[in-house]
Amino acid sequence: MAAACQLPVTTFSSNYKSHIYFHRLAFPHSSSCRFSSPWSLPDIGNPMKREYAPELAERGALKWRTRVSFLPSFPKNKSREDVKQELLKAIAELDRGADATSEDQERVEQIARQLEEVNPIGAPLKSDLLNGKWELLYTTSRSILQSQRPKILRPFGKIYQAINADTLRAQNIETWPYFNQVTANLVPLNARKVAVKFDRFKIGGLIPVTAPGRELEITYLDEEIRISRGDKGNLFILKMVDRAYRIPS
């Protein structure tokens, strides 16, 4: 995130300060002596508000503006491909996000938002680029990463997600050492967001599980990379590995 915009502090006239001092002496228990904003003063019969409203309004506006943080804008001196390569480089050594520090996560988030600003596919659910098998490169989802476990007990094989937009079906695939798979129906909520309704599945082929439903929004899509965001605030970055893959019926 870019730093909050810093603006100079308003300097009020000596007459205004004298009025405040007098008001505090005369009404020591009055809540209005705080002058938290110009709107806290009564509209009728208040000469201070009439006389000093412009100064109070300026102070209120400046206080608001100093608190504003702006989302990162797309860098003018870089192409979309440049930002995409920067994102791939930023996540390359993070073990799908399991080794990411808070600083790493913030950097990845910032670059991902820059790329999302120039998403070339406005309606990804209607695009053929969505179809196929995608490999998970990075996520902030702790339930997928199992980062609380010792590294040797985490899923360290590749993780895939397949989507067939024409049949509105999806499949999550874990490889070594668990080899879990689950399929799901996709229910479009708009042109880029779906509700994910998982089928019943078995962990290790033995333990039956019914996974809770989720929502997933596709915020960036091209022929190589997909960025999605879940309803729990998690970020997912995937790359296309097999465009011809079809989910078994």
Side-chain angles (χ1 to χ4, degrees), residues 13 47 51 66 68 94 117 154 163 179 183 196 213:
S13 66
E51 184 175 353
T66 57
V68 173
L94 299 181
E117 286 187 20
R154 299 176 195 166
I163 294 179
F179 298 99
T183 52
V196 182

Side-chain angles (χ1 to χ4, degrees), residues 95-138:
D95 188 20
R96 284 196 294 255
D99 292 340
T101 64
S102 57
E103 290 79 12
D104 292 329
Q105 289 182 341
E106 185 175 351
R107 173 169 168 74
V108 171
E109 173 70 21
Q110 184 178 36
I111 302 172
R113 286 190 178 275
Q114 290 175 354
L115 201 54
E116 288 168 332
E117 286 187 20
V118 289
N119 177 23
I121 308 296
L125 291 178
K126 299 179 181 179
S127 173
D128 289 338
L129 294 180
L130 187 59
N131 293 317
K133 182 188 285 187
W134 298 83
E135 180 186 346
L136 181 66
L137 300 181
Y138 174 88

Side-chain angles (χ1 to χ4, degrees), residues 139-199:
T139 184
T140 55
S141 172
R142 289 177 59 87
S143 63
I144 293 176
L145 296 173
Q146 298 292 321
S147 52
Q148 73 277 11
R149 294 182 179 181
K151 194 163 187 174
I152 195 172
L153 297 179
R154 299 176 195 166
F156 48 85
K158 292 183 177 182
I159 298 175
Y160 301 102
Q161 183 180 71
I163 294 179
N164 292 156
D166 56 338
T167 59
L168 292 174
R169 291 286 286 169
Q171 180 184 29
N172 292 344
I173 307 167
E174 283 186 355
T175 58
W176 182 263
Y178 301 114
F179 298 99
N180 293 319
Q181 294 190 29
V182 59
T183 52
N185 289 316
L186 304 178
V187 180
L189 302 177
N190 57 40
R192 50 189 269 168
K193 181 185 284 190
V194 294
V196 182
K197 308 292 185 181
F198 289 106
D199 301 330

Side-chain angles (χ1 to χ4, degrees), residues 42-78:
D43 288 327
I44 300 173
N46 193 318
M48 289 187 68
K49 183 166 186 179
R50 291 197 300 270
E51 184 175 353
Y52 299 110
E55 293 183 68
L56 285 164
E58 181 183 2
R59 183 175 76 163
L62 284 173
K63 283 175 112 180
W64 177 83
R65 279 181 280 170
T66 57
R67 290 197 300 266
V68 173
S69 293
F70 297 96
L71 292 176
S73 58
F74 189 81
K76 295 181 180 180
N77 60 337
K78 293 182 181 180

Side-chain angles (χ1 to χ4, degrees), residues 178-240:
Y178 301 114
F179 298 99
N180 293 319
Q181 294 190 29
V182 59
T183 52
N185 289 316
L186 304 178
V187 180
L189 302 177
N190 57 40
R192 50 189 269 168
K193 181 185 284 190
V194 294
V196 182
K197 308 292 185 181
F198 289 106
D199 301 330
R200 190 174 175 85
F201 68 103
K202 293 183 179 181
I203 297 178
L206 299 173
I207 305 171
V209 173
T210 301
R214 292 285 186 264
E215 289 183 4
L216 189 70
E217 183 173 11
I218 301 164
T219 55
Y220 178 87
L221 177 67
D222 66 19
E223 64 282 350
E224 180 185 11
I225 294 297
R226 170 163 62 92
I227 300 176
S228 298
R229 294 183 181 271
D231 55 358
K232 303 297 184 183
N234 287 314
L235 173 65
F236 304 89
I237 302 174
L238 307 94
K239 73 173 181 179
M240 172 57 65

